[in-house]
Amino acid sequence: MRLFLVAFLCVSLAAITAFSREIPMVSTTTDEQTLPWMKDSAEKMKKELIAKHGEGARARLERGLRQVGQFWRAEDGEAAVFEDFVRVNFAGDQVTLDTMFNRFENLLEKLSGHLHEINREFRQQSDLDKGPILSFDEVFAGYDPGAHVLDDFFHNKLAFVVLLNFPLTTLEERITEGPQWSRRQWAEGRLAQGFSKRVPAEVNLELARAASESDAYIAQYNIWMYHLIDPGGQRLFPPKLRLLSHWNLRDEIKADYADKERGLAKQRSLQQVMERIITQTIPQVVVNNPAVDWNPWTNEVKIATEHDSDSGNTQYGNLTNAPEPATRYAMLLKTYQAARKVDPYSPTAPTLMARRFDEDREVPEQRVKAMLEQVVTSPLVPKVAKLIETRLGRPLEPFDIWYDGFRARGAYTEAQLDAIVSKKYPTAEAYRQDIPDILMKLGFTPEKANYLAGMIVVDPARGSGHAMGAEMRGEKAHLRTRVEAMGMNYKGFNIAVHEMGHNVEQTFSLNEVDHTLLEGVPNTAFTEALAMVLQGHDLEVLGLSAPDARSEALRTLNDFWNTYEISGVALVDMAVWHWMYDHPKAKPEELRDATVSIAKDIWNRYYAPEFGKRDVLLLAIYSHMIDSFLYLPDYPIGHLIAFQVEEKMKQAGAIGPEFERMAKMGRVTPDMWMINATGKPVGAESLLAAAEKAYAQVSPQK
Ligand SMILES: [Zn+2]
């Protein structure tokens, strides 16, 4: 799912940047790797070039020499080659520097745009609804023409030209000095950032291997639910139900609120299963195995007495309930060990934490932590917890962190909406023709609406739909939407409006931004927030009435409770990565024990008071924690950003002009973007204030 987002949504400035940014990384300084002659050669070139260009060039030259020195390896050439390179490629005057900057900006846009075009064409058969996918189509789809660009650019030394002339920056500099930078300075910074790492192929390979091994481990971690035996000896779940941890297990807990008869018993069993997975006391034999029955309370296993799997059950001659040998944590450790090897090659972000927070998110870890803590310690938590208890008619249990009951019944049934939509949009072409009209209903001027419609190609999607932006000016964005034989249904329409929101953002942030090196938005959460704004108005686009205030309030409380839950999950993920960095030689069993104690600690601090139970482990169940390199904080940050943008849009008279103003800011830091958009840096206040209001609206009515 994440790769999907990256491939389809990430509006990265250049393929090379996307390439280097996508690899999760970690580090130390590269000083000790510097070649023995480097210092003398750099000193010599400094003297020579200052004599030639004057004292004014000193600061820039010193910086350039330092930056090149950090990445130059023996294979790039000896001292004479280095000196000659610097002599020829240092832009000693402003005119040369401007020419260099403009040419790099233009050519990198072309490179990125055309690579993207190849990529899009190669994926056509697998992405679009165009008949059977043959074996070679998948190879085309999997081919990445940009995979070696970064290596090539170090090899032919274009990367060194950039490093010699443009500044590498740290997040701290971007935050503290960035607001005073000119747009050109920002663009120069982004240009250099594209070359801020030079990770050897074998290190990348190891990283990819650890990622794919942990992915594979997660992808087959199913529990066969019919074979769960509850304390009363009952089978609570239907035959053939196979749930993937953690997604399906969690979604089953959510769905079980609707089962008035056995829902609660099922939810308790699911919690028991999750905790067995986290502690790795789960019997190895029950993982993805319909051949045994398992009582997760006593941990007893037996040969299955009933058979529900088509694949045929395996018999176990020597059946034991021996626990899974901490494999979950062995997988996580491998990703850590692989990530750590990148550290020395990433001088401006020398740990995985730094790469995630300082580079991918561009919000310092300490600030993210503070925002998440602001959510979990909000005085609203106990109030909403009480409200949920009232709605459930029982005391909260730990799995109620996944409470799913803040749902409003809309004014129209799904069937009514389907009928309206399929009549209006019998084909994808009908939707395409209506785009200018839809955009005008959303407040874009007729002129902008027509311009945008002309920049969006509508394709029939094989899956549910996605948006694929362009990477080069003048190229069109692609809206992939699914239309059934009966015409578009409401779900498809709702998704199409969301994806069109991405396309509109992509079009503005590429074509109207002043520098293509600043193309895009600060991170994925921002494009999602903008897309959700349009999606949230889909009923009005159909000419129907918008959701009423109470439905809106329920939706806000639902978002608040989700953010409360996922904030704790993210805090666990962050603490676990720090623990691994602090214990580089840890064994899987030690990591298991540490994770359990971290999860308990965060639960006891922020959740136990509302749930009346201590030492719960559920916050450590997410599979992303095992295979996704500190990805989980993206979720709560995404909620907060979406709320901030939505709240601002609500205050605006018309969405169109505000949307455009926000989207063309480009890829600066999240705080700068948000200050331009809403007047305030990224923070939790919008969500908390909206939730407070929603609570006041919903609580008296129970
Ligand atoms: Zn989206």
Side-chain angles (χ1 to χ4, degrees), residues 31-39 69 72-78:
D31 283 358
E32 63 268 25
Q33 294 164 347
T34 309
L35 298 159
W37 48 260
M38 181 61 78
K39 205 170 163 224
W72 195 279
R73 296 182 196 152
E75 75 209 49
D76 299 315
E78 32 193 59

Side-chain angles (χ1 to χ4, degrees), residues 9 498-499 502 528 531:
L9 298 178
H498 174 96
E499 304 303 341
H502 283 306
E528 290 304 335

